[in-house]
Amino acid sequence: MEVSSVQGGGEGRGHSGAVREKTSVVRGVLTMTGSAVSNQIGAGIGAHAFPTIGPAGVVAVRQLVAAVVLLSVALPPFRRFTWRQWWPVLLLGTATALMNICLYMAIDRIGLGLAVTLEFLGPLAVALLASRSRWDLLCGLSAGAGVFILVMPGPSSDFAGIAFALAAAACWAAYILLNRVAGQRLPGLQAPAAATVISLVFYLPVAVHLILQGLLAGSALLCAVTAGVLCSVVPYAADLVALRHVPAGLFGVFMSINHIFAALSGTVVLSQVLELHEWAGMVLIVATNAAAIWVAGRRTKAATWKHGSAVAQQPSGLGRGDQKMAER
């Protein structure tokens, strides 16, 4: 009787574990969706300040807003950081600074939708590198095909803008991996807060120059501050939470949804009209995301049930004498 009870308990634990894992993935997906919506609306609003303060000015204000908000929520104990905690934070701050300026330079030259689409190649690379099966590879290639259809590059393409977007892609890939490492080594929001301070150092000279010129005022300042909240504060916190619920590979594939929201934001906020091939690329990318999420959920459920079955089949852990008494 006791042995049977132990086995049933193992199956129960396996079922409850599957439910917890599924709930965790759903939370991660919802968090990533909110992050994408906030990020792209903020980017569209920030682009309105380009004529006055330029892309570097918008990024400088973004980083300043992010630093003020995140430090008020989670002040990292910098003096107690070990080198094991410092190096991912330093690299994360540098990657964030480069990613933001490269993306905004690309947006200024080739538009919001195309810039963010090319930037997605960074998370796509993370997804491919994390691939463990042919299905993962197929999802990555499908998303890549959606990107190509959405972009449709031609002879008149702005290759300098494309280069900035590709540089932003490389930085985003580094951001995903470093954010995961830093989040595991620092509690709460300390990792993004510390990284934001590091990133702000790069843009302090730009901010000082704009202040001395009297350019940080009016609608340009309002747009830049709004971009800071929506593009920095919300996504930093959301991405950190999401990466604790979903694998880096799934994060990379799912975040392709960013350029769908970027195209929609460009249409609503910047009056950029989408063409038929752009909608076709979006449909393919959304389908890829849905397939990737469904497969990830199936794998999580299968792995959890397998673990639960293995626990149920193991001996109860009692001593030999106790086992004999249980059999009696």
Coordinates of all heavy atoms in Angstrom, one line a residue, residues 41-107:
I41 N 5.8 50.9 -30.3 CA 5.1 52.2 -30.2 C 6.1 53.3 -29.8 O 6.0 54.4 -30.3 CB 3.9 52.0 -29.3 CG1 2.9 51.1 -29.9 CG2 3.3 53.4 -29.0 CD1 1.7 50.9 -29.0
G42 N 6.9 53.0 -28.8 CA 7.9 53.9 -28.4 C 8.9 54.4 -29.4 O 9.2 55.5 -29.6
A43 N 9.3 53.4 -30.3 CA 10.2 53.7 -31.4 C 9.6 54.7 -32.4 O 10.2 55.6 -32.9 CB 10.7 52.4 -32.0
G44 N 8.3 54.4 -32.7 CA 7.6 55.3 -33.6 C 7.5 56.7 -33.1 O 7.7 57.7 -33.8
I45 N 7.2 56.8 -31.8 CA 7.0 58.1 -31.2 C 8.4 58.8 -31.1 O 8.5 60.0 -31.4 CB 6.5 58.0 -29.7 CG1 5.0 57.5 -29.8 CG2 6.5 59.3 -29.0 CD1 4.4 57.2 -28.5
G46 N 9.5 58.1 -30.8 CA 10.8 58.7 -30.7 C 11.3 59.2 -32.0 O 12.0 60.2 -32.1
A47 N 10.8 58.6 -33.1 CA 11.3 59.0 -34.5 C 10.8 60.4 -34.8 O 11.4 61.1 -35.6 CB 10.8 58.1 -35.5
H48 N 9.8 60.9 -34.1 CA 9.3 62.3 -34.4 C 10.3 63.3 -33.9 O 10.2 64.5 -34.3 CB 7.9 62.5 -33.7 CG 6.8 61.8 -34.4 ND1 6.3 62.2 -35.6 CD2 6.0 60.8 -34.1 CE1 5.3 61.5 -36.0 NE2 5.1 60.6 -35.1
A49 N 11.2 62.9 -33.0 CA 12.2 63.9 -32.4 C 13.5 63.9 -33.3 O 14.3 64.7 -33.0 CB 12.5 63.5 -31.0
F50 N 13.6 63.1 -34.3 CA 14.8 63.0 -35.1 C 15.2 64.3 -35.7 O 16.4 64.8 -35.7 CB 14.7 61.9 -36.2 CG 14.9 60.5 -35.6 CD1 14.6 59.5 -36.5 CD2 15.2 60.3 -34.3 CE1 14.7 58.2 -36.0 CE2 15.3 59.0 -33.9 CZ 15.1 57.9 -34.7
P51 N 14.2 65.1 -36.3 CA 14.6 66.3 -37.0 C 15.2 67.4 -36.0 O 15.9 68.2 -36.5 CB 13.2 66.8 -37.5 CG 12.4 65.6 -37.7 CD 12.8 64.7 -36.5
T52 N 14.9 67.3 -34.7 CA 15.3 68.3 -33.8 C 16.6 67.9 -33.1 O 17.6 68.7 -33.0 CB 14.3 68.6 -32.8 OG1 13.1 69.0 -33.4 CG2 14.7 69.7 -31.8
I53 N 16.6 66.7 -32.5 CA 17.8 66.3 -31.7 C 18.5 65.1 -32.3 O 19.6 64.7 -31.7 CB 17.4 65.9 -30.3 CG1 16.4 64.8 -30.3 CG2 16.8 67.2 -29.6 CD1 15.9 64.4 -28.8
G54 N 18.1 64.5 -33.4 CA 18.8 63.4 -34.1 C 18.6 62.1 -33.3 O 18.2 62.0 -32.2
P55 N 19.0 61.0 -34.0 CA 18.9 59.7 -33.4 C 19.7 59.6 -32.1 O 19.2 59.0 -31.1 CB 19.4 58.7 -34.4 CG 19.2 59.5 -35.7 CD 19.4 60.9 -35.4
A56 N 20.9 60.1 -32.1 CA 21.8 60.0 -30.9 C 21.1 60.8 -29.7 O 21.2 60.3 -28.5 CB 23.1 60.6 -31.2
G57 N 20.5 61.9 -30.0 CA 19.8 62.6 -28.9 C 18.6 61.9 -28.3 O 18.4 61.8 -27.1
V58 N 17.9 61.2 -29.2 CA 16.7 60.4 -28.7 C 17.3 59.2 -27.8 O 16.7 58.9 -26.7 CB 15.9 59.8 -29.9 CG1 14.8 58.9 -29.3 CG2 15.3 61.0 -30.6
V59 N 18.3 58.6 -28.3 CA 18.9 57.5 -27.5 C 19.4 58.0 -26.1 O 19.3 57.3 -25.1 CB 20.0 56.8 -28.3 CG1 20.7 55.7 -27.4 CG2 19.5 56.1 -29.5
A60 N 20.1 59.2 -26.1 CA 20.6 59.8 -24.9 C 19.5 60.0 -23.9 O 19.6 59.6 -22.7 CB 21.3 61.1 -25.2
V61 N 18.4 60.5 -24.3 CA 17.2 60.8 -23.4 C 16.6 59.4 -23.0 O 16.3 59.3 -21.8 CB 16.2 61.6 -24.1 CG1 14.9 61.8 -23.2 CG2 16.7 63.0 -24.4
R62 N 16.5 58.5 -23.9 CA 16.0 57.2 -23.6 C 16.8 56.5 -22.4 O 16.3 56.0 -21.5 CB 16.1 56.2 -24.8 CG 14.9 56.3 -25.7 CD 15.0 55.2 -26.8 NE 15.3 53.9 -26.2 CZ 15.4 52.7 -26.9 NH1 15.3 52.8 -28.2 NH2 15.6 51.6 -26.3
Q63 N 18.1 56.6 -22.6 CA 19.0 56.0 -21.6 C 18.9 56.7 -20.2 O 19.0 56.1 -19.2 CB 20.4 55.9 -22.1 CG 20.6 55.0 -23.3 CD 20.1 53.7 -23.1 OE1 19.1 53.2 -23.7 NE2 20.6 52.9 -22.1
L64 N 18.8 58.0 -20.3 CA 18.6 58.8 -19.1 C 17.4 58.5 -18.3 O 17.4 58.2 -17.1 CB 18.7 60.3 -19.4 CG 18.6 61.2 -18.2 CD1 19.7 61.0 -17.2 CD2 18.6 62.7 -18.6
V65 N 16.3 58.4 -19.1 CA 15.0 58.0 -18.5 C 15.0 56.6 -17.9 O 14.6 56.4 -16.8 CB 13.8 58.1 -19.5 CG1 12.5 57.5 -19.0 CG2 13.6 59.6 -19.9
A66 N 15.6 55.7 -18.6 CA 15.7 54.3 -18.2 C 16.5 54.2 -16.9 O 16.2 53.5 -16.0 CB 16.3 53.4 -19.3
A67 N 17.6 55.0 -16.8 CA 18.5 54.9 -15.7 C 17.8 55.5 -14.4 O 17.8 54.9 -13.4 CB 19.8 55.7 -15.9
V68 N 17.1 56.6 -14.6 CA 16.3 57.2 -13.5 C 15.3 56.3 -12.9 O 15.2 56.0 -11.7 CB 15.7 58.6 -13.9 CG1 14.8 59.1 -12.8 CG2 16.8 59.6 -14.2
V69 N 14.5 55.7 -13.8 CA 13.4 54.8 -13.4 C 13.9 53.5 -12.8 O 13.5 53.1 -11.7 CB 12.4 54.5 -14.6 CG1 11.4 53.5 -14.2 CG2 11.8 55.8 -15.1
L70 N 14.8 52.9 -13.5 CA 15.3 51.6 -13.0 C 16.1 51.7 -11.7 O 16.0 50.9 -10.8 CB 16.1 50.9 -14.1 CG 15.3 50.4 -15.3 CD1 16.3 49.8 -16.3 CD2 14.3 49.3 -14.9
L71 N 16.9 52.8 -11.6 CA 17.6 52.9 -10.3 C 16.7 53.3 -9.2 O 17.1 53.0 -8.0 CB 18.7 54.1 -10.5 CG 19.9 53.7 -11.4 CD1 20.8 54.9 -11.6 CD2 20.6 52.5 -10.9
S72 N 15.6 53.9 -9.4 CA 14.7 54.2 -8.3 C 13.9 53.0 -7.9 O 13.5 52.9 -6.7 CB 13.6 55.3 -8.8 OG 12.8 54.8 -9.8
V73 N 13.8 52.0 -8.8 CA 13.1 50.7 -8.4 C 14.1 49.7 -7.8 O 13.8 49.0 -6.9 CB 12.5 50.1 -9.7 CG1 11.9 48.7 -9.4 CG2 11.4 51.1 -10.2
A74 N 15.3 49.6 -8.4 CA 16.3 48.6 -8.0 C 17.7 49.3 -8.0 O 18.3 49.4 -9.1 CB 16.2 47.4 -8.8
L75 N 18.2 49.7 -6.9 CA 19.5 50.3 -6.9 C 20.5 49.2 -6.7 O 20.6 48.6 -5.6 CB 19.6 51.3 -5.8 CG 21.0 52.1 -5.6 CD1 21.3 52.8 -6.9 CD2 21.0 53.0 -4.4
P76 N 21.4 48.9 -7.7 CA 22.3 47.8 -7.5 C 23.4 48.1 -6.6 O 23.9 49.3 -6.5 CB 22.9 47.6 -9.0 CG 21.9 48.4 -9.9 CD 21.4 49.5 -9.0
P77 N 23.9 47.2 -5.8 CA 25.0 47.4 -4.8 C 26.3 47.3 -5.6 O 27.0 46.2 -5.5 CB 24.8 46.3 -3.8 CG 24.1 45.2 -4.6 CD 23.3 45.8 -5.6
F78 N 26.7 48.3 -6.4 CA 27.8 48.2 -7.3 C 29.1 47.8 -6.5 O 29.9 47.0 -7.0 CB 28.1 49.5 -8.0 CG 27.0 49.9 -9.0 CD1 26.0 50.8 -8.7 CD2 27.0 49.3 -10.2 CE1 25.0 51.1 -9.6 CE2 26.0 49.6 -11.2 CZ 25.0 50.5 -10.8
R79 N 29.3 48.3 -5.3 CA 30.5 48.0 -4.6 C 30.6 46.6 -4.2 O 31.8 46.1 -3.9 CB 30.6 48.9 -3.3 CG 30.7 50.4 -3.6 CD 30.9 51.2 -2.3 NE 31.0 52.6 -2.6 CZ 31.2 53.6 -1.7 NH1 31.2 53.2 -0.4 NH2 31.3 54.8 -2.0
R80 N 29.5 45.9 -4.1 CA 29.6 44.4 -3.7 C 29.5 43.5 -4.9 O 29.6 42.3 -4.7 CB 28.4 44.1 -2.7 CG 28.4 44.9 -1.4 CD 27.6 44.2 -0.4 NE 26.2 44.2 -0.7 CZ 25.3 45.1 -0.4 NH1 25.7 46.2 0.3 NH2 24.0 45.0 -0.8
F81 N 29.5 44.0 -6.1 CA 29.5 43.2 -7.2 C 30.9 42.4 -7.3 O 31.9 43.0 -7.1 CB 29.4 44.0 -8.5 CG 28.0 44.4 -8.9 CD1 26.9 44.1 -8.0 CD2 27.7 44.9 -10.1 CE1 25.6 44.5 -8.3 CE2 26.4 45.3 -10.4 CZ 25.3 45.0 -9.5
T82 N 30.8 41.1 -7.6 CA 32.0 40.3 -7.9 C 32.3 40.4 -9.4 O 31.4 40.9 -10.2 CB 31.7 38.9 -7.5 OG1 30.7 38.3 -8.3 CG2 31.3 38.8 -6.1
W83 N 33.4 40.0 -9.8 CA 33.8 40.0 -11.2 C 32.8 39.1 -12.0 O 32.5 39.4 -13.2 CB 35.2 39.6 -11.5 CG 35.6 39.5 -12.9 CD1 35.9 38.4 -13.6 CD2 35.6 40.6 -13.9 NE1 36.2 38.8 -15.0 CE2 36.0 40.1 -15.1 CE3 35.3 42.0 -13.8 CZ2 36.1 40.9 -16.3 CZ3 35.4 42.8 -14.9 CH2 35.8 42.2 -16.1
R84 N 32.4 38.1 -11.4 CA 31.4 37.2 -12.1 C 30.1 37.9 -12.4 O 29.4 37.5 -13.3 CB 31.2 35.9 -11.2 CG 30.3 34.9 -11.8 CD 30.2 33.7 -10.9 NE 29.4 32.6 -11.4 CZ 28.1 32.6 -11.2 NH1 27.5 33.5 -10.4 NH2 27.3 31.6 -11.7
Q85 N 29.8 38.9 -11.6 CA 28.6 39.7 -11.8 C 28.9 40.9 -12.7 O 28.0 41.3 -13.5 CB 28.0 40.1 -10.5 CG 27.4 39.0 -9.6 CD 27.1 39.5 -8.2 OE1 27.8 40.4 -7.6 NE2 26.0 38.9 -7.6
W86 N 30.1 41.4 -12.6 CA 30.4 42.6 -13.3 C 30.5 42.4 -14.8 O 30.0 43.2 -15.6 CB 31.7 43.2 -12.8 CG 31.6 44.3 -11.8 CD1 32.1 44.4 -10.6 CD2 30.9 45.6 -12.1 NE1 31.7 45.6 -10.0 CE2 31.0 46.4 -10.9 CE3 30.3 46.1 -13.1 CZ2 30.5 47.6 -10.7 CZ3 29.7 47.4 -13.0 CH2 29.8 48.2 -11.8
W87 N 31.2 41.3 -15.2 CA 31.5 41.2 -16.7 C 30.2 41.1 -17.5 O 30.2 41.8 -18.6 CB 32.5 40.1 -17.0 CG 32.0 38.7 -16.9 CD1 32.2 37.8 -15.9 CD2 31.2 38.0 -17.9 NE1 31.6 36.6 -16.1 CE2 31.0 36.7 -17.4 CE3 30.8 38.3 -19.1 CZ2 30.3 35.7 -18.1 CZ3 30.1 37.3 -19.9 CH2 29.9 36.0 -19.4
P88 N 29.2 40.3 -17.2 CA 28.0 40.3 -18.0 C 27.3 41.7 -18.0 O 26.7 42.1 -19.0 CB 27.1 39.2 -17.4 CG 27.6 39.0 -16.1 CD 29.0 39.4 -16.0
V89 N 27.3 42.4 -16.9 CA 26.7 43.7 -16.8 C 27.4 44.7 -17.7 O 26.7 45.5 -18.4 CB 26.6 44.2 -15.3 CG1 26.3 45.7 -15.3 CG2 25.7 43.4 -14.5
L90 N 28.7 44.7 -17.7 CA 29.5 45.6 -18.5 C 29.2 45.4 -20.0 O 29.0 46.3 -20.8 CB 31.0 45.5 -18.2 CG 31.4 46.0 -16.9 CD1 32.9 45.6 -16.6 CD2 31.3 47.5 -16.8
L91 N 29.2 44.1 -20.4 CA 29.0 43.7 -21.8 C 27.5 44.0 -22.2 O 27.2 44.5 -23.3 CB 29.3 42.3 -22.0 CG 30.8 41.9 -21.9 CD1 31.0 40.4 -22.1 CD2 31.6 42.7 -22.9
L92 N 26.6 43.8 -21.2 CA 25.2 44.1 -21.5 C 24.9 45.6 -21.7 O 24.2 46.0 -22.6 CB 24.3 43.6 -20.3 CG 22.8 43.8 -20.5 CD1 22.3 43.1 -21.7 CD2 22.1 43.3 -19.2
G93 N 25.6 46.4 -20.9 CA 25.4 47.8 -21.0 C 26.0 48.3 -22.4 O 25.4 49.2 -23.0
T94 N 27.2 47.8 -22.8 CA 27.8 48.2 -24.0 C 26.9 47.7 -25.2 O 26.7 48.5 -26.2 CB 29.2 47.5 -24.1 OG1 30.0 48.0 -23.0 CG2 29.9 48.0 -25.4
A95 N 26.4 46.5 -25.1 CA 25.6 46.0 -26.2 C 24.3 46.8 -26.4 O 23.8 47.1 -27.5 CB 25.2 44.5 -26.0
T96 N 23.7 47.2 -25.2 CA 22.5 48.0 -25.2 C 22.8 49.4 -25.9 O 22.0 49.8 -26.7 CB 22.0 48.2 -23.8 OG1 21.7 46.9 -23.2 CG2 20.7 49.0 -23.8
A97 N 23.9 50.0 -25.5 CA 24.2 51.3 -26.1 C 24.4 51.2 -27.6 O 23.9 52.1 -28.3 CB 25.5 51.8 -25.4
L98 N 25.1 50.3 -28.0 CA 25.3 50.1 -29.5 C 24.1 49.7 -30.2 O 23.8 50.2 -31.3 CB 26.4 49.1 -29.7 CG 27.8 49.5 -29.2 CD1 28.8 48.3 -29.4 CD2 28.3 50.7 -29.9
M99 N 23.3 48.8 -29.6 CA 22.0 48.4 -30.3 C 21.1 49.6 -30.5 O 20.5 49.7 -31.6 CB 21.4 47.3 -29.4 CG 20.0 46.9 -29.9 SD 19.3 45.6 -28.9 CE 19.0 46.5 -27.4
N100 N 20.9 50.4 -29.5 CA 20.0 51.5 -29.6 C 20.4 52.5 -30.7 O 19.6 53.0 -31.5 CB 19.8 52.2 -28.3 CG 19.1 51.4 -27.3 OD1 18.3 50.5 -27.7 ND2 19.3 51.6 -26.0
I101 N 21.7 52.9 -30.7 CA 22.1 53.9 -31.7 C 22.1 53.4 -33.1 O 21.7 54.1 -34.0 CB 23.5 54.5 -31.3 CG1 23.8 55.7 -32.2 CG2 24.6 53.4 -31.4 CD1 22.9 56.8 -32.1
C102 N 22.5 52.1 -33.2 CA 22.5 51.5 -34.6 C 21.0 51.4 -35.1 O 20.8 51.7 -36.3 CB 23.2 50.1 -34.5 SG 24.9 50.2 -34.4
L103 N 20.1 51.0 -34.2 CA 18.7 50.9 -34.6 C 18.1 52.2 -35.0 O 17.5 52.3 -36.1 CB 17.9 50.2 -33.5 CG 16.4 50.1 -33.8 CD1 16.1 49.2 -35.0 CD2 15.6 49.6 -32.6
Y104 N 18.4 53.2 -34.2 CA 17.8 54.5 -34.5 C 18.4 55.2 -35.8 O 17.7 55.9 -36.5 CB 17.9 55.5 -33.3 CG 16.8 55.3 -32.4 CD1 16.6 54.1 -31.7 CD2 15.9 56.3 -32.1 CE1 15.5 53.9 -30.8 CE2 14.8 56.1 -31.3 CZ 14.6 54.9 -30.6 OH 13.6 54.7 -29.8
M105 N 19.7 54.9 -36.0 CA 20.3 55.4 -37.3 C 19.7 54.7 -38.4 O 19.4 55.3 -39.5 CB 21.8 55.1 -37.2 CG 22.6 56.0 -36.2 SD 22.6 57.7 -36.7 CE 23.6 57.7 -38.2
A106 N 19.4 53.4 -38.3 CA 18.7 52.6 -39.3 C 17.3 53.1 -39.6 O 16.9 53.3 -40.7 CB 18.7 51.1 -39.0
I107 N 16.6 53.4 -38.5 CA 15.2 53.9 -38.6 C 15.2 55.2 -39.4 O 14.3 55.5 -40.2 CB 14.5 54.0 -37.2 CG1 14.3 52.7 -36.6 CG2 13.2 54.8 -37.3 CD1 13.8 52.7 -35.2

